[in-house]
Amino acid sequence: MAASQGPAQRLFAAGKRLLGTLLATGETRLRLAVLELEEERARLVGLLMLAGLSLILLLLGIGVLTTLVIVAFWETHRLAAIGVSALVLLGSGGLLALRVMQLARRRTLLAGTLRHLASDRELVEASRESR
């Protein structure tokens, strides 16, 4: 049947196959991106819930511990106990804030999709160079 087709028909058929392949590849990459976004959303919701609960428990624990230290030194060094407790809390908060900023700078969103797109681009460039 290929012998009965003219050059224009073969070119049109090749173009259709190429377009179909590009659409299939694009659809696959889009599905991968959507799947990664859904997984990231579920992970983020769980992470936020755990972070919120741990924050509440840590705040309660720190408050009780600070009160215990201040009460223990109330008669002798109450101002020193209050000052040291405040410095420890502020220093710990500052260090944790720096750690959070470091973690926030990491790029993990759609990492798999970006990796697959980069490999696709490399394959296309390699096929261009081989021609």
Side-chain angles (χ1 to χ4, degrees), residues 15 17 23-24 34 46 49 53 61 65-66 69 72-74 81 89 99 124 127:
R17 284 192 309 270
L23 286 175
V34 168
M49 289 176 67
L53 183 59
L65 182 64
T66 302
V69 169
F73 292 103
W74 189 258
L89 292 173
R99 180 66 180 148
V124 168
S127 68

Side-chain angles (χ1 to χ4, degrees), residues 105-120:
R105 287 190 184 117
R106 289 186 186 170
R107 294 178 188 240
T108 58
L109 186 63
L110 299 177
T113 300
L114 293 175
R115 190 172 44 253
H116 283 287
L117 288 174
S119 68
D120 289 347

